Amino acid sequence: MNAIDLLAAKAKDTSATGQLDPQSTEPVPSPCISVCRMTPDRSHCEGCFRTLDEIRAWSRADAPQRRAIWAQLLQRAGIAWPVPETEA
């Protein structure tokens, strides 16, 4: 399984539990899949597709900001948002 497949699976699981739903009061989990290395141009992580700024901001971000980061990284990775039930 490549990083995009792992990330899509994590997004599907996270979405299925409602954690990416704007109405949810559950914490929004990190998209990290433990493939922590930047692309050669340093534009984003090869595993979770977050930028350095998004990685830095994550610990201080509230739930809406974290959902926005999820949406941006999924777009960057070419994964549909919201995550369809049939994806991954």
Side-chain angles (χ1 to χ4, degrees):
M1 217 184 241
N2 66 30
I4 290 177
D5 293 337
L6 290 170
L7 185 59
K10 184 163 191 169
K12 179 183 175 191
D13 291 345
T14 302
S15 185
T17 60
Q19 293 168 300
L20 296 180
D21 184 334
Q23 306 306 316
S24 175
T25 58
E26 294 297 314
V28 179
S30 169
C32 180
I33 59 166
S34 298
V35 178
C36 304
R37 72 181 160 262
M38 298 305 286
T39 58
D41 67 359
R42 302 197 45 84
S43 63
H44 62 276
C45 173
E46 290 181 357
C48 68
F49 283 78
R50 288 182 290 177
T51 65
L52 283 173
D53 288 342
E54 290 166 343
I55 293 167
R56 277 197 271 306
W58 187 263
S59 65
R60 294 178 313 281
D62 62 14
Q65 291 168 321
R66 288 180 175 195
R67 285 185 197 94
I69 291 171
W70 263 101
Q72 292 166 341
L73 71 88
L74 290 173
Q75 181 179 20
R76 208 173 285 128
I79 300 169
W81 175 264
V83 180
E85 286 299 314
T86 59
E87 184 129 349

